[in-house]
Amino acid sequence: APISKYVYGQFIEHLGRCIYGGIWAEMLEDRKFFYAVGAPESPWQAIGGPEAVEMTRENVFVGEHMPRIILPGGAPRGIAQNQLGLQAGRKYTGRAVLAGSPEAGPVSVSLAWGGGEDARQTFHIEKLSPEFTAYPFEFTAGADTEAGTLAITAQGQGVISVGPASLMPADNVHGLRPDTLALLKELNAPVY
């Protein structure tokens, strides 16, 4: 009998950058904060010094712990992830799940592709809820860079609890990278 074309195909698993940094369009690493902000393994850094962020196990949105931004009022405090690859003119969408004191706001979520205010876009959240809420945002990069930064900051008073964060190119296909999907189509495999 003829051999079915579905006997042969392509296989992928979580090795190296096959999924994260490969087919999956998510740009942020450790987006649910498995590692403590500022730890050597974490891609997240504290803005405003190490005392600006504490990891808490109370009322955690997901996982064992999450960052809590401590806001005494004044200078901006928050978290940031660097080394993001951005393309000029490309749209990026995402969301941050946040809860916090009403007096903590406004909260700024910024995507930067260089230094200075003209090399970033910022989404503002005027007032937070004590309940976790997903806040969607959208940016368009103004330049090509491999050193982009996503930052979540505030200058108010109180605390901000940070749940998962996400950032993807807006042209993702159900969370997958369109350029990788195009290459997979070129392979013409009957099964993935």
Side-chain angles (χ1 to χ4, degrees), residues 91-94 121 123 136-140 170:
K91 290 186 185 297
Y92 298 89
T93 61
Q121 282 186 344
F123 172 78
F137 46 80
E138 182 175 290
F139 304 109
T140 302

Side-chain angles (χ1 to χ4, degrees), residues 29-30 34-46 50 55 65 80-81:
E29 294 186 19
D30 194 22
F34 181 81
Y35 299 108
V37 171
E41 306 88 359
S42 176
W44 294 95
Q45 300 300 316
M55 298 304 289
H65 61 191
Q81 189 168 138

Side-chain angles (χ1 to χ4, degrees), residues 27-99:
M27 297 171 62
L28 299 179
E29 294 186 19
D30 194 22
R31 60 188 213 89
K32 296 179 182 178
F33 305 100
F34 181 81
Y35 299 108
V37 171
E41 306 88 359
S42 176
W44 294 95
Q45 300 300 316
I47 296 172
E51 68 280 0
V53 180
E54 67 179 14
M55 298 304 289
T56 182
R57 295 180 184 273
E58 297 175 20
N59 302 317
V60 174
F61 185 82
V62 66
E64 293 183 15
H65 61 191
M66 69 181 175
R68 182 181 290 158
I69 303 167
I70 311 301
L71 299 166
R77 285 185 164 194
I79 59 173
Q81 189 168 138
N82 303 313
Q83 305 306 313
L84 302 175
L86 304 172
Q87 294 175 332
R90 192 168 192 190
K91 290 186 185 297
Y92 298 89
T93 61
R95 69 184 176 282
V97 178
L98 306 171

Side-chain angles (χ1 to χ4, degrees), residues 11 18 36 80 83 163-164 169-170 177 183:
F11 174 76
C18 289
Q83 305 306 313
R177 287 176 46 178
L183 292 171

Side-chain angles (χ1 to χ4, degrees), residues 22 26 75 176 184:
E26 180 61 57
L176 303 178
L184 290 174

Side-chain angles (χ1 to χ4, degrees), residues 86 88-89 110-122 140-145:
L86 304 172
S110 299
L111 184 67
W113 48 87
E117 290 302 312
D118 59 339
R120 73 180 58 239
Q121 282 186 344
T122 302
T140 302
D144 292 340
T145 184

